[in-house]
Structure formats: C-alpha cells, structure tokens
Amino acid sequence: MTHVGNQAVGDIDTPVGQPGQSLTQADPSQGSAVTRQKRFGMSFGQPAETPLQHLQPERRIANGARNIDVIACLGAALAEQVVGMHFMNPVPVMKLVELVRGIATEDFTFEAAKAFVVSLDKTVTVAEDFPAFIVNRILLPMINEAIYVLYEGVGSVEAIDTAMKLGANHPMGPLQLADFIGLDTCLSIMQVLHDGLSDSKYRPCPLLVKYVEAGWLGRKAGRGFYDYRGENPVPTR
C-alpha cells in the first residue's frame, strides 16, 4: 500500500519486479482511503502536484474504490501504473473481483493485478473505466428503481422485497439489500452515475435522499427500509 505522509492513498502498491510477478504483499481487506475524487483533491491538491508523481517506475497502484475514475483520482502521469481492483463486500465471502483497466493501463500492470486476484482464489471479470464499473452500474439503478416503486406507492417495502425474491428468484429483496449495503453508499453511487453519465435515469430517488438525511442509513444505523432495533426487522413503510 502506498502512503503519502500518514495518508493511505491506494489499496495495493507493492514491488512487482519482473513481469508476471503478482502483488503478493497486498491486503485486500484494507479499504481505500481515496473513495472520492473530491477527497483526494482536498488531501493532496491536484493529482499532478502530489508526491505520487515520484512513484518509482517498478511500482504499481491498485485503486480499490468502488466507483471513481481510476486514472482521474491519481493523474495522467501515473496512468500506465494504475489499475482498478474492486472487491465485492464482504471480501472473504464474495468470489468476484472487478479489474478495471484505464485507457492507459499497461499490460504489465494489468497482468500483475490479475495474477494477484487469481492467487486469492477469486474470479476476475474485466471492466472498462466508466462510472460504477459493471456490478454497481447494474445493481444500484435496480435498487434505486425499487425505491421509486416504494416512493410512488406502487408497493410496500414487504411487497417489493417479496415480489423480487419470489418473482425474480433473488436471494434478498432490493430494499433489504440496500439496507445491508448502506443507504448512504447507495446514494453516493447513484450520484456518481448521475454526475458521470449525465443521464436522468440515474437520478437518485428523493425518498433515498430523505432517508439518508434523516440518518436512516440501513442496518448499520438500526433503521433504513427496515427497523432493526427490535428482535426481528420490521418494514418502516
């Protein structure tokens, strides 16, 4: 992991030496401190001005943030040495890792990251460097649409989750899943999609915004689309 001062700025940055050598010293359980471009900017200024511009040529950076531009967060000067590595949560359980290849990511960087993921006995899928990559690009708009269905009164929390579990064979309803992910995280990803793609279909549902503003962030906060403060979760709408 690369650090600038006392600030962690990437999930994985280990010496890779010769081509084909994997990033074996990395710890995928460590979350990236650079989760938003704004946060990077406030911490270090513009990417071209950061100490990372002096990164040694033999080192590679894997950015583990789930939804930001792989290259933009660190700057064009490092583009060849940067790859996105999106682990699914919870990391010990989920088998998939999205490898996100920026437009300038060199083959050596990509193959080193791929070898590292394979060494963890996980499955690699490759995504291009666009907002939210593959999984969140598909999953979060579905969750957002489920929240719109609730917002518009088409169905209750229980009805929506039951319909998707029994009608689409989903192991968990979309509103229950949103609570597990965290409603603030859901909102953040939808904002990235809306801002990054400038398409109204990614507009976050106003009800999602209201829940986040109220501090009802899901399971971690005790309340979201379900109230978790009792013995059993109870729908809040």
Side-chain angles (χ1 to χ4, degrees):
M1 179 181 291
T2 290
H3 286 74
V4 176
N6 294 321
Q7 296 281 347
V9 298
D11 277 336
I12 297 169
D13 170 31
T14 59
V16 289
Q18 301 300 317
Q21 189 174 349
S22 66
L23 308 178
T24 54
Q25 299 175 8
D27 181 359
S29 67
Q30 299 296 320
S32 173
V34 188
T35 55
R36 298 179 69 97
Q37 293 173 6
K38 288 183 179 178
R39 180 168 179 180
F40 187 90
M42 287 189 295
S43 298
F44 307 114
Q46 296 303 313
E49 300 170 353
T50 74
L52 286 176
Q53 65 184 305
H54 303 297
L55 186 74
Q56 297 171 349
E58 71 274 11
R59 297 178 73 82
R60 300 295 181 267
I61 295 176
N63 171 23
R66 67 174 61 87
N67 54 22
I68 69 173
D69 189 318
V70 168
I71 292 177
C73 70
L74 293 173
L78 298 172
E80 294 181 353
Q81 296 167 257
V82 178
V83 65
M85 191 179 289
H86 179 205
F87 287 82
M88 304 298 120
N89 191 39
V91 174
V93 176
M94 303 297 283
K95 296 288 291 182
L96 182 69
V97 177
E98 289 180 313
L99 281 187
V100 185
R101 188 167 193 161
I103 193 170
T105 302
E106 65 180 10
D107 290 341
F108 178 32
T109 302
F110 178 79
E111 292 300 330
K114 183 177 179 181
F116 170 66
V117 172
V118 171
S119 76
L120 298 177
D121 194 30
K122 293 187 181 293
T123 299
V124 172
T125 189
V126 180
E128 294 299 316
D129 190 15
F130 289 96
F133 316 137
I134 295 173
V135 173
N136 286 337
R137 174 78 176 266
I138 296 170
L139 177 63
L140 269 297
M142 183 201 74
I143 289 175
N144 193 54
E145 188 63 26
I147 300 171
Y148 266 113
V149 171
L150 177 65
Y151 176 63
E152 295 169 2
V154 178
S156 65
V157 169
E158 186 175 13
I160 292 166
D161 278 352
T162 299
M164 293 306 293
K165 285 190 288 185
L166 300 183
N169 204 28
H170 289 194
M172 183 182 295
L175 301 178
Q176 183 185 10
L177 179 57
D179 274 357
F180 271 80
I181 293 171
L183 301 191
D184 52 340
T185 299
C186 293
L187 177 59
S188 175
I189 296 173
M190 289 308 302
Q191 289 170 334
V192 166
L193 283 167
H194 190 239
D195 294 344
L197 298 173
S198 300
D199 193 323
S200 61
K201 71 181 180 180
Y202 297 117
R203 183 172 68 93
C205 179
L207 184 60
L208 175 59
V209 176
K210 291 288 187 184
Y211 269 56
V212 172
E213 289 176 344
W216 291 21
L217 306 182
R219 191 175 184 88
K220 63 186 177 184
R223 279 190 295 188
F225 294 111
Y226 291 85
D227 189 331
Y228 299 92
R229 295 172 298 173
E231 185 174 347
N232 296 305
V234 177
T236 55
R237 292 177 74 92

mmCIF file of all heavy atoms in Angstrom, residues 1-12 30-35 39-40 43-44 52 61 63 74:
data_model
loop_
_atom_site.group_PDB
_atom_site.id
_atom_site.type_symbol
_atom_site.label_atom_id
_atom_site.label_comp_id
_atom_site.label_asym_id
_atom_site.label_seq_id
_atom_site.Cartn_x
_atom_site.Cartn_y
_atom_site.Cartn_z
ATOM 1 N N MET A 1 0.846 -1.188 0.000
ATOM 2 C CA MET A 1 0.000 0.000 0.000
ATOM 3 C C MET A 1 0.881 1.237 0.000
ATOM 4 O O MET A 1 1.818 1.331 0.771
ATOM 5 C CB MET A 1 -0.914 0.010 1.232
ATOM 6 C CG MET A 1 -1.808 1.235 1.311
ATOM 7 S SD MET A 1 -2.853 1.235 2.778
ATOM 8 C CE MET A 1 -3.957 -0.100 2.404
ATOM 9 N N THR A 2 0.586 2.155 -0.862
ATOM 10 C CA THR A 2 1.341 3.399 -0.913
ATOM 11 C C THR A 2 0.791 4.389 0.103
ATOM 12 O O THR A 2 -0.405 4.513 0.268
ATOM 13 C CB THR A 2 1.259 4.013 -2.313
ATOM 14 O OG1 THR A 2 2.016 3.196 -3.193
ATOM 15 C CG2 THR A 2 1.825 5.411 -2.342
ATOM 16 N N HIS A 3 1.671 5.094 0.779
ATOM 17 C CA HIS A 3 1.269 6.150 1.704
ATOM 18 C C HIS A 3 1.966 7.443 1.315
ATOM 19 O O HIS A 3 3.101 7.444 0.857
ATOM 20 C CB HIS A 3 1.653 5.795 3.144
ATOM 21 C CG HIS A 3 0.803 4.744 3.755
ATOM 22 N ND1 HIS A 3 0.909 3.415 3.393
ATOM 23 C CD2 HIS A 3 -0.176 4.809 4.694
ATOM 24 C CE1 HIS A 3 0.036 2.706 4.107
ATOM 25 N NE2 HIS A 3 -0.628 3.525 4.888
ATOM 26 N N VAL A 4 1.260 8.535 1.468
ATOM 27 C CA VAL A 4 1.860 9.853 1.337
ATOM 28 C C VAL A 4 1.757 10.487 2.712
ATOM 29 O O VAL A 4 0.663 10.757 3.187
ATOM 30 C CB VAL A 4 1.134 10.708 0.290
ATOM 31 C CG1 VAL A 4 1.734 12.100 0.256
ATOM 32 C CG2 VAL A 4 1.208 10.056 -1.078
ATOM 33 N N GLY A 5 2.890 10.696 3.384
ATOM 34 C CA GLY A 5 2.841 11.120 4.774
ATOM 35 C C GLY A 5 2.183 10.024 5.584
ATOM 36 O O GLY A 5 2.597 8.877 5.545
ATOM 37 N N ASN A 6 1.132 10.374 6.310
ATOM 38 C CA ASN A 6 0.393 9.384 7.083
ATOM 39 C C ASN A 6 -0.909 8.996 6.408
ATOM 40 O O ASN A 6 -1.740 8.331 6.994
ATOM 41 C CB ASN A 6 0.096 9.932 8.490
ATOM 42 C CG ASN A 6 1.347 10.119 9.303
ATOM 43 O OD1 ASN A 6 2.255 9.293 9.233
ATOM 44 N ND2 ASN A 6 1.412 11.207 10.067
ATOM 45 N N GLN A 7 -1.081 9.415 5.162
ATOM 46 C CA GLN A 7 -2.338 9.163 4.465
ATOM 47 C C GLN A 7 -2.185 7.984 3.525
ATOM 48 O O GLN A 7 -1.281 7.944 2.716
ATOM 49 C CB GLN A 7 -2.743 10.390 3.637
ATOM 50 C CG GLN A 7 -3.031 11.625 4.467
ATOM 51 C CD GLN A 7 -4.398 11.584 5.093
ATOM 52 O OE1 GLN A 7 -5.209 10.746 4.721
ATOM 53 N NE2 GLN A 7 -4.674 12.467 6.006
ATOM 54 N N ALA A 8 -3.073 6.992 3.663
ATOM 55 C CA ALA A 8 -3.101 5.886 2.708
ATOM 56 C C ALA A 8 -3.787 6.357 1.441
ATOM 57 O O ALA A 8 -4.869 6.922 1.492
ATOM 58 C CB ALA A 8 -3.866 4.708 3.304
ATOM 59 N N VAL A 9 -3.184 6.116 0.298
ATOM 60 C CA VAL A 9 -3.754 6.636 -0.942
ATOM 61 C C VAL A 9 -4.043 5.556 -1.958
ATOM 62 O O VAL A 9 -4.391 5.848 -3.084
ATOM 63 C CB VAL A 9 -2.835 7.698 -1.581
ATOM 64 C CG1 VAL A 9 -2.683 8.875 -0.664
ATOM 65 C CG2 VAL A 9 -1.475 7.106 -1.924
ATOM 66 N N GLY A 10 -3.923 4.313 -1.604
ATOM 67 C CA GLY A 10 -4.263 3.270 -2.561
ATOM 68 C C GLY A 10 -4.375 1.951 -1.840
ATOM 69 O O GLY A 10 -3.752 1.727 -0.823
ATOM 70 N N ASP A 11 -5.170 1.028 -2.378
ATOM 71 C CA ASP A 11 -5.330 -0.261 -1.735
ATOM 72 C C ASP A 11 -4.090 -1.124 -1.867
ATOM 73 O O ASP A 11 -3.704 -1.818 -0.954
ATOM 74 C CB ASP A 11 -6.514 -1.028 -2.361
ATOM 75 C CG ASP A 11 -7.819 -0.585 -1.758
ATOM 76 O OD1 ASP A 11 -7.799 -0.085 -0.640
ATOM 77 O OD2 ASP A 11 -8.848 -0.731 -2.422
ATOM 78 N N ILE A 12 -3.466 -1.104 -3.042
ATOM 79 C CA ILE A 12 -2.368 -2.019 -3.277
ATOM 80 C C ILE A 12 -1.265 -1.316 -4.025
ATOM 81 O O ILE A 12 -1.487 -0.728 -5.061
ATOM 82 C CB ILE A 12 -2.833 -3.248 -4.089
ATOM 83 C CG1 ILE A 12 -3.873 -4.024 -3.288
ATOM 84 C CG2 ILE A 12 -1.654 -4.149 -4.445
ATOM 85 C CD1 ILE A 12 -4.559 -5.078 -4.087
ATOM 86 N N GLN A 30 -8.082 -4.152 3.298
ATOM 87 C CA GLN A 30 -7.916 -2.739 3.615
ATOM 88 C C GLN A 30 -8.663 -1.893 2.593
ATOM 89 O O GLN A 30 -8.400 -1.974 1.413
ATOM 90 C CB GLN A 30 -6.424 -2.363 3.597
ATOM 91 C CG GLN A 30 -5.597 -3.114 4.610
ATOM 92 C CD GLN A 30 -6.002 -2.792 6.029
ATOM 93 O OE1 GLN A 30 -6.281 -1.640 6.347
ATOM 94 N NE2 GLN A 30 -6.061 -3.795 6.868
ATOM 95 N N GLY A 31 -9.593 -1.088 3.051
ATOM 96 C CA GLY A 31 -10.356 -0.235 2.153
ATOM 97 C C GLY A 31 -9.556 0.980 1.734
ATOM 98 O O GLY A 31 -8.724 1.471 2.482
ATOM 99 N N SER A 32 -9.817 1.460 0.534
ATOM 100 C CA SER A 32 -9.089 2.622 0.045
ATOM 101 C C SER A 32 -9.506 3.874 0.798
ATOM 102 O O SER A 32 -10.681 4.099 1.048
ATOM 103 C CB SER A 32 -9.368 2.824 -1.441
ATOM 104 O OG SER A 32 -8.799 4.020 -1.888
ATOM 105 N N ALA A 33 -8.529 4.693 1.153
ATOM 106 C CA ALA A 33 -8.833 5.973 1.784
ATOM 107 C C ALA A 33 -9.256 7.001 0.758
ATOM 108 O O ALA A 33 -9.840 8.016 1.084
ATOM 109 C CB ALA A 33 -7.611 6.489 2.541
ATOM 110 N N VAL A 34 -8.955 6.716 -0.506
ATOM 111 C CA VAL A 34 -9.330 7.647 -1.571
ATOM 112 C C VAL A 34 -10.610 7.129 -2.201
ATOM 113 O O VAL A 34 -10.580 6.424 -3.173
ATOM 114 C CB VAL A 34 -8.228 7.755 -2.641
ATOM 115 C CG1 VAL A 34 -8.573 8.866 -3.621
ATOM 116 C CG2 VAL A 34 -6.897 8.050 -1.995
ATOM 117 N N THR A 35 -11.737 7.440 -1.608
ATOM 118 C CA THR A 35 -13.001 6.913 -2.091
ATOM 119 C C THR A 35 -13.746 7.879 -2.994
ATOM 120 O O THR A 35 -14.716 7.506 -3.626
ATOM 121 C CB THR A 35 -13.917 6.541 -0.914
ATOM 122 O OG1 THR A 35 -14.058 7.686 -0.081
ATOM 123 C CG2 THR A 35 -13.310 5.402 -0.108
ATOM 124 N N ARG A 39 -12.245 13.987 -2.197
ATOM 125 C CA ARG A 39 -11.449 13.741 -1.003
ATOM 126 C C ARG A 39 -9.964 13.755 -1.347
ATOM 127 O O ARG A 39 -9.155 14.292 -0.613
ATOM 128 C CB ARG A 39 -11.838 12.397 -0.393
ATOM 129 C CG ARG A 39 -11.048 12.071 0.869
ATOM 130 C CD ARG A 39 -11.641 10.892 1.593
ATOM 131 N NE ARG A 39 -10.863 10.571 2.772
ATOM 132 C CZ ARG A 39 -11.156 9.587 3.590
ATOM 133 N NH1 ARG A 39 -12.223 8.848 3.386
ATOM 134 N NH2 ARG A 39 -10.407 9.333 4.636
ATOM 135 N N PHE A 40 -9.611 13.144 -2.480
ATOM 136 C CA PHE A 40 -8.213 13.170 -2.906
ATOM 137 C C PHE A 40 -7.764 14.606 -3.115
ATOM 138 O O PHE A 40 -6.682 14.995 -2.697
ATOM 139 C CB PHE A 40 -8.050 12.366 -4.201
ATOM 140 C CG PHE A 40 -6.620 12.213 -4.619
ATOM 141 C CD1 PHE A 40 -5.880 11.137 -4.191
ATOM 142 C CD2 PHE A 40 -6.024 13.157 -5.446
ATOM 143 C CE1 PHE A 40 -4.555 11.002 -4.574
ATOM 144 C CE2 PHE A 40 -4.704 13.024 -5.831
ATOM 145 C CZ PHE A 40 -3.973 11.947 -5.392
ATOM 146 N N SER A 43 -7.124 16.451 0.129
ATOM 147 C CA SER A 43 -5.990 15.956 0.890
ATOM 148 C C SER A 43 -4.662 16.339 0.259
ATOM 149 O O SER A 43 -3.705 16.656 0.947
ATOM 150 C CB SER A 43 -6.071 14.428 1.013
ATOM 151 O OG SER A 43 -7.222 14.046 1.712
ATOM 152 N N PHE A 44 -4.595 16.301 -1.071
ATOM 153 C CA PHE A 44 -3.305 16.398 -1.725
ATOM 154 C C PHE A 44 -3.231 17.449 -2.821
ATOM 155 O O PHE A 44 -2.210 17.587 -3.475
ATOM 156 C CB PHE A 44 -2.927 15.047 -2.333
ATOM 157 C CG PHE A 44 -2.984 13.919 -1.342
ATOM 158 C CD1 PHE A 44 -3.916 12.911 -1.483
ATOM 159 C CD2 PHE A 44 -2.128 13.896 -0.260
ATOM 160 C CE1 PHE A 44 -3.964 11.876 -0.573
ATOM 161 C CE2 PHE A 44 -2.178 12.868 0.651
ATOM 162 C CZ PHE A 44 -3.094 11.850 0.501
ATOM 163 N N LEU A 52 2.898 11.488 -5.302
ATOM 164 C CA LEU A 52 2.794 10.260 -6.081
ATOM 165 C C LEU A 52 3.405 10.395 -7.470
ATOM 166 O O LEU A 52 3.658 9.403 -8.136
ATOM 167 C CB LEU A 52 1.313 9.842 -6.204
ATOM 168 C CG LEU A 52 0.703 9.260 -4.940
ATOM 169 C CD1 LEU A 52 -0.774 8.980 -5.173
ATOM 170 C CD2 LEU A 52 1.417 8.004 -4.507
ATOM 171 N N ILE A 61 -0.023 0.731 -8.632
ATOM 172 C CA ILE A 61 -1.077 1.117 -7.698
ATOM 173 C C ILE A 61 -2.378 0.474 -8.144
ATOM 174 O O ILE A 61 -2.782 0.606 -9.299
ATOM 175 C CB ILE A 61 -1.254 2.640 -7.637
ATOM 176 C CG1 ILE A 61 0.004 3.292 -7.062
ATOM 177 C CG2 ILE A 61 -2.467 3.012 -6.787
ATOM 178 C CD1 ILE A 61 -0.046 4.795 -7.060
ATOM 179 N N ASN A 63 -6.243 0.767 -7.271
ATOM 180 C CA ASN A 63 -7.217 1.603 -6.582
ATOM 181 C C ASN A 63 -8.468 0.781 -6.320
ATOM 182 O O ASN A 63 -9.094 0.286 -7.248
ATOM 183 C CB ASN A 63 -7.522 2.831 -7.444
ATOM 184 C CG ASN A 63 -8.677 3.633 -6.895
ATOM 185 O OD1 ASN A 63 -8.968 3.552 -5.712
ATOM 186 N ND2 ASN A 63 -9.330 4.388 -7.744
ATOM 187 N N LEU A 74 -5.670 9.826 -9.635
ATOM 188 C CA LEU A 74 -4.229 9.888 -9.385
ATOM 189 C C LEU A 74 -3.468 10.713 -10.406
ATOM 190 O O LEU A 74 -2.338 11.110 -10.157
ATOM 191 C CB LEU A 74 -3.650 8.469 -9.336
ATOM 192 C CG LEU A 74 -4.125 7.630 -8.139
ATOM 193 C CD1 LEU A 74 -3.654 6.201 -8.269
ATOM 194 C CD2 LEU A 74 -3.636 8.228 -6.836
#
